[in-house]
DNA sequence: TTGAAAGCGCTAACAT
DNA sequence: ATGTTAGCGCTTTCAA
């Protein structure tokens, strides 16, 4: 019995006689033989691993996307090598090298940009790349994202319909494509509802709780405060609400807040957070699926870029404006 | 110039002449050569990868530990292959095979048990294993855990000192070693403070928000309710508080709650959660460090098992008991 | 249907 | 200090 026959039995059982097959399988079972995957990788030039680069792991948004990715990849026998940047760009270098040294068959990027190491970029690896969550506008890179812009626009519409006339925007990480999209949508909404830049306040900071806290502190200093706030992520919305309520500002009576993401916490805040739910698990599945197709050259052009819808969850942090001058007159939501 | 020389320049520069070194490096730079890591792995029999098995990724506790692991491993040039069980034990099999086929040099287990695939266990791989977060009592497996039992015991003491006389315990995942330890500590505390099983109520469920919600619903049905609650994790503490407050139960005036973990979100609840902060990042670093030592046979016996301390964060969900009969008489905390 | 043999790209022992 | 050579364990022609 040659090693070649064993190999055939294990990889393509139809190529051998039934009897040989049984003999080999019995021996395999008894000896507990498991092929050395490194040797397989070297020989076949496929690693059966995918690299996933995430800006941060402690953000539940990424964790949830990763679940989807994992479900899809595991099903196809692929493994995940996780590249956690932990919000530090200097960590990219290591993963660029990892791609360049062909330790993976494909790359999923949650970053919104292509990681680089000095002069070399992940693109130089020639490996298939799919951008998820945050778009990368380059040839040959499919984007699997949600309708950030549309949702942000819808947030303003929703607040305007509730009677709000002055708006606040709590940003995400500056320069991030997601932030850019959401702010653009917010501005479109402002314009569409007939408001101007005078009716808008913007507070900046990364996608974390404390950004909402700082925004709240700036908010509290204002004399003529906005009453409708859109936060580019749930965490900063939660930070904002927590901070203003500590100063006896009522939500939503004094200020309405809409978040973005639909993380699980957002359903356990007081009041529960009105927000847009992203289909995070699906995002992960679809992204992984597209990458696998790319790896197997089975990509249909119409699948290239996908924009998944988000859902507005109307909960307790938004409500009609109570005008100060006529406190008794509560405008009904149109 | 032979391939062997190039190999030496790249792996052990001191073994070649300075001039040769420079020549090779120049050529490497110009050609953009990067060694094929799979071939290196096959030849050296080291994969430079570590497998981390986590019960679930969306739990911020695991995400935080993973950060520590990542920091430590990255520094030593090791990569992480993530094995997310997503709370489904049938997913273990794949990772057992991965270990058996030697795709990694070592294994970090956050599970509290050794994953199995039918008759075969990860131990059969012969790879070094370190248990983190949840202990595994087997020869040759170092445990890096926190003082679960001591903390739970301390929680009861703390509540008793505040005047509480009837206690509630919200469990974690049944059968989990962490849950067992925390409940044991809780019971020790009850006994040490001179209380009996009649003074204790226990509600069961996994380590998730909704366990706290169900516990709250059972709590609300009771006539003689406990006033001091210890939850085996922050998420269920938060779920509990959210649910009882919806029924106008005041925290901490009517019921005090202590959590466990110290997740970031626990600082953004209303009121902010009293809880034990686990040194999660450190747990990850230490666990990874011990594993690396095991891999390099550099383990000193005294480092084998480590129990890190937790810190009680006294925040707003705990307070002195207000006895119903003498509502005006507020006992001071001793 | 099976076996023999080449070779994936690298490193390490040995030879020079 | 460098080159030659023999594998690491597998898969895949090619030949039988």
């Amino acid at each position: 019995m040659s090693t070649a026959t064993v190999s055939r039995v294990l990889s393509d059982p139809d190529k051998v006689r039934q009897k040989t097959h049984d003999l080999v399988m019995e021996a395999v079972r008894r000896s507990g033989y498991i092929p050395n995957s490194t040797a397989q990788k070297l020989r076949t030039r496929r690693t059966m691993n995918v690299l996933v680069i995430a800006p941060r792991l402690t953000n539940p948004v990424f964790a949830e996307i990763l679940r989807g990715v994992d479900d899809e990849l595991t099903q196809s026998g692929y493994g995940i090598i996780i590249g956690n940047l932990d919000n530090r760009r200097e960590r990219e270098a290591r993963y660029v090298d990892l791609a360049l040294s062909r330790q993976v068959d494909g790359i999923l990027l949650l970053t919104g940009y292509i990681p680089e190491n000095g002069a070399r970029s992940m693109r130089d690896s020639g490996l298939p790349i799919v951008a998820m969550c945050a778009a990368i506008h380059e040839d040959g890179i499919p984007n699997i994202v949600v309708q950030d812009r549309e949702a942000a626009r819808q947030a303003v519409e929703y607040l305007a319909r509730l009677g709000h006339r002055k708006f606040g925007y709590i940003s995400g990480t500056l320069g991030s494509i997601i932030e850019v999209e959401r702010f653009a949508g917010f501005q479109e909404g402002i314009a569409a509802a007939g408001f101007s830049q005078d009716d808008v306040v913007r507070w900046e900071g990364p996608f974390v709780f404390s950004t909402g806290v700082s925004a709240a502190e700036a908010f509290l200093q204002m004399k003529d405060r906005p009453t409708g706030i859109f936060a580019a992520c749930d965490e900063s919305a939660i930070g904002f609400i927590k901070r203003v309520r500590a100063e006896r500002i009522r939500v939503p009576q004094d200020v309405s807040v809409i978040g973005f993401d639909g993380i699980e916490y957002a359903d356990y805040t007081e009041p529960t957070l009105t927000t847009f739910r992203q289909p995070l698990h699906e995002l992960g599945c679809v992204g992984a699926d597209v990458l696998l197709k790319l790896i197997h050259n089975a990509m249909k052009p119409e699948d290239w870029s996908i924009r998944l819808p988000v859902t507005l969850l109307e909960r307790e942090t938004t409500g009609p404006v109570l005008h100060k001058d006529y406190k008794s007159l509560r405008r009904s939501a149109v």
Side-chain angles (χ1 to χ4, degrees), chain A residues 255-268:
Chain A
V255 60
S256 283
V257 181
I258 303 189
F260 202 112
D261 286 343
I263 62 178
E264 196 181 8
Y265 299 159
D267 207 12
Y268 290 90

Side-chain angles (χ1 to χ4, degrees), chain A residues 66-328:
Chain A
L66 228 46
R67 277 189 59 225
V69 169
D70 193 20
D71 283 348
E72 192 69 29
L73 290 183
T74 299
Q75 220 164 38
S76 307
Y78 279 79
I80 294 185
I81 293 187
I82 193 99
N84 174 25
L85 299 184
D86 209 31
N87 281 348
R88 286 177 277 165
R89 288 211 52 167
E90 66 272 22
R91 297 188 55 144
E92 289 171 24
R94 177 181 157 66
Y95 301 110
V96 174
D97 291 351
L98 197 142
L100 257 18
S101 61
R102 311 206 78 79
Q103 298 195 48
V104 293
D105 298 337
I107 302 167
L108 286 168
L109 256 24
L110 296 169
T111 48
Y113 59 85
I114 299 175
E116 290 174 1
N117 179 8
R120 323 196 52 174
S121 127
M122 269 192 191
R123 283 227 88 171
D124 302 338
S125 68
L127 293 170
I129 296 180
V130 170
M132 294 165 50
C133 190
I136 298 177
H137 299 293
E138 291 218 23
D139 278 355
I141 300 190
N143 289 305
I144 320 298
V145 295
V146 300
Q147 299 176 341
D148 294 293
R149 187 185 284 244
E150 295 81 347
R153 187 189 162 118
Q154 191 186 337
V156 178
E157 274 169 29
Y158 181 71
L159 290 170
R161 250 187 292 129
L162 288 169
H164 296 275
R165 298 289 172 258
K166 192 145 197 290
F167 304 87
Y169 176 87
I170 306 178
S171 91
T173 308
L174 293 186
S176 124
I177 179 83
I178 305 184
E179 152 60 21
V180 169
E181 283 289 308
R182 292 184 192 166
F183 186 59
F186 176 83
Q187 292 286 47
E188 284 176 17
I190 291 293
F195 295 101
S196 79
Q197 291 310 303
D198 297 339
D199 308 310
V200 169
V201 192
R202 176 185 157 108
W203 300 291
E204 299 182 343
F207 288 111
V208 295
F209 284 109
S210 59
T211 296
V213 175
S214 333
E217 272 152 12
F219 169 90
L220 291 165
Q221 296 302 318
M222 296 176 69
K223 60 267 123 221
D224 188 19
R225 296 171 181 156
T227 62
I229 311 287
F230 171 63
C233 78
D234 282 351
E235 299 197 349
S236 56
I238 291 168
F240 180 90
I241 292 164
K242 166 78 184 160
R243 185 69 189 82
V244 298
R245 275 170 57 100
E247 306 295 330
R248 308 227 159 267
I249 304 279
R250 295 164 306 159
V251 179
Q253 294 86 342
D254 299 322
V255 60
S256 283
V257 181
I258 303 189
F260 202 112
D261 286 343
I263 62 178
E264 196 181 8
Y265 299 159
D267 207 12
Y268 290 90
T269 54
E270 285 183 30
T272 52
L273 186 67
T274 296
T275 186
F276 292 93
R277 190 205 302 284
Q278 298 196 51
L280 297 172
H281 187 270
E282 190 186 353
L283 203 63
C285 291
V286 172
D289 182 57
V290 169
L291 182 64
L292 290 178
K293 284 187 181 141
L294 231 43
I295 290 174
H296 301 124
N297 291 314
M299 195 66 190
K300 286 174 293 173
E302 65 266 31
D303 294 335
W304 263 68
S305 281
I306 295 173
R307 208 162 251 284
L308 300 171
V310 297
T311 321
L312 177 61
L313 303 177
E314 299 187 42
R315 294 197 289 214
E316 300 167 357
T317 55
T318 41
V321 160
L322 298 181
H323 282 275
K324 275 185 187 147
D325 305 335
Y326 311 95
K327 271 199 175 149
S328 54

